[in-house]
Amino acid sequence: MDNKCSKYEGLFIFSDEETLKEHVAQCEECRAEQDKMDKVSALIDEVKFHYYKKRKMMPKLRAVCAVALLLFSTLTLGIAVNDEDLMDTIRYGETLSAEDLGFPVDSYGLLMVDE
């Protein structure tokens, strides 16, 4: 029957660091487990820089997109408001009629149809 130590996980999660260090110094199996955890931690530290570098670019990219959208909408609305021909044709609350579009109409404003 194997008498393996199963305290490492409990000590790692629930106890303080000093208690874990004392147990790892005494127990060979937990020391091997701690070595594995240290290697994983070293790998994470090695990759962490590349991960955070990509994460730092996202806010800058979002800001550039927001400024571009704001600039585009400002220019588009500015052109639409300052265009005299467009403003003479369409006013707020008015709609274009068939006569405005160049279709032949009768005295009631309905489209004239030849029989």
Side-chain angles (χ1 to χ4, degrees), residues 26-66:
Q26 297 171 359
C27 180
E28 190 67 34
E29 293 172 2
C30 292
R31 191 174 311 127
E33 192 71 27
Q34 181 67 32
D35 289 340
K36 288 180 189 177
M37 293 295 277
D38 289 340
K39 289 177 184 178
V40 170
S41 180
L43 286 174
I44 290 172
D45 287 340
E46 185 178 328
V47 177
K48 183 171 38 175
F49 171 74
H50 300 291
Y51 176 73
Y52 284 124
K53 183 178 176 184
K54 290 180 184 178
R55 297 271 308 199
K56 287 182 181 180
M57 293 294 290
M58 287 302 289
K60 292 177 185 177
L61 183 62
R62 287 181 184 160
V64 168
C65 289

Side-chain angles (χ1 to χ4, degrees), residues 1-6 27 29:
M1 179 176 230
D2 284 324
N3 289 334
K4 294 182 93 176
C5 181
S6 61
C27 180
E29 293 172 2

